[in-house]
Amino acid sequence: MTNTEIVYRFFKEGYESKNYELVMNYLADDYIDHSPAGAKGNAQAVEILKIVANQFSDLSIQMLDIFADNEMVATRVLYQGVHSGTCMGIAATGKKISFEALENFKVVDGKIVESWGYWPDKEIEEKLR
């Protein structure tokens, strides 16, 4: 698999299919997430995916942009889901929302080793209210 395919599969398997065992294979054991979520290791990253799954049901991912330069893969992703669990302190509203996020990944020897992500927290919060 190419680096872009690895990152694409991470999103599809992690957010849509919830195939967490497979996601563990895409992430290095010592994976580091430099976003505010701050996962250290593949197990913590999977726990974050599970939290998102509890916050948003029927979650779908549309890869708007994905491209690579050597080890780095950049993405712009459209997330769409139903707010079905507490998110940012806001109880489930049942609202269907969508938002775009930017996430970059470093892939070495077929494993995601680092990521940097930006989710538009203020925009998400406004849509949930």
Side-chain angles (χ1 to χ4, degrees):
M1 265 193 284
T2 66
N3 290 348
T4 54
E5 289 170 328
I6 290 166
V7 169
Y8 179 82
R9 295 307 328 154
F10 163 79
F11 277 101
K12 288 296 188 176
E13 297 297 336
Y15 287 106
E16 287 187 349
S17 300
K18 299 175 184 73
N19 188 346
Y20 303 124
E21 188 175 317
L22 185 57
V23 168
M24 292 284 285
N25 293 324
Y26 293 135
L27 298 166
D29 292 342
D30 58 352
Y31 162 79
I32 298 172
D33 176 2
H34 297 283
S35 75
K40 302 290 186 254
N42 56 3
Q44 282 187 8
V46 165
E47 289 307 311
I48 291 168
L49 292 172
K50 290 177 181 178
I51 289 168
V52 173
N54 287 327
Q55 295 171 336
F56 296 98
S57 60
D58 300 324
L59 190 61
S60 67
I61 302 297
Q62 182 180 354
M63 196 64 61
L64 301 174
D65 295 305
I66 184 168
F67 53 92
D69 184 13
N70 297 315
E71 296 177 331
M72 297 303 297
V73 178
T75 67
R76 183 170 61 101
V77 182
L78 177 65
Y79 292 83
Q80 296 178 308
V82 176
H83 179 217
S84 55
T86 301
C87 178
M88 299 179 177
I90 302 168
T93 61
K95 291 180 181 178
K96 183 170 181 143
I97 71 160
S98 64
F99 59 91
E100 289 182 21
L102 303 174
E103 301 195 43
N104 296 324
F105 298 83
K106 183 175 183 180
V107 182
V108 177
D109 296 328
K111 300 274 187 177
I112 299 169
V113 297
E114 290 182 87
S115 68
W116 298 260
Y118 166 75
W119 281 29
D121 291 344
K122 291 291 184 195
E123 176 189 340
I124 295 168
E125 187 176 4
E126 288 174 9
K127 289 181 175 187
L128 297 179
R129 294 200 181 275

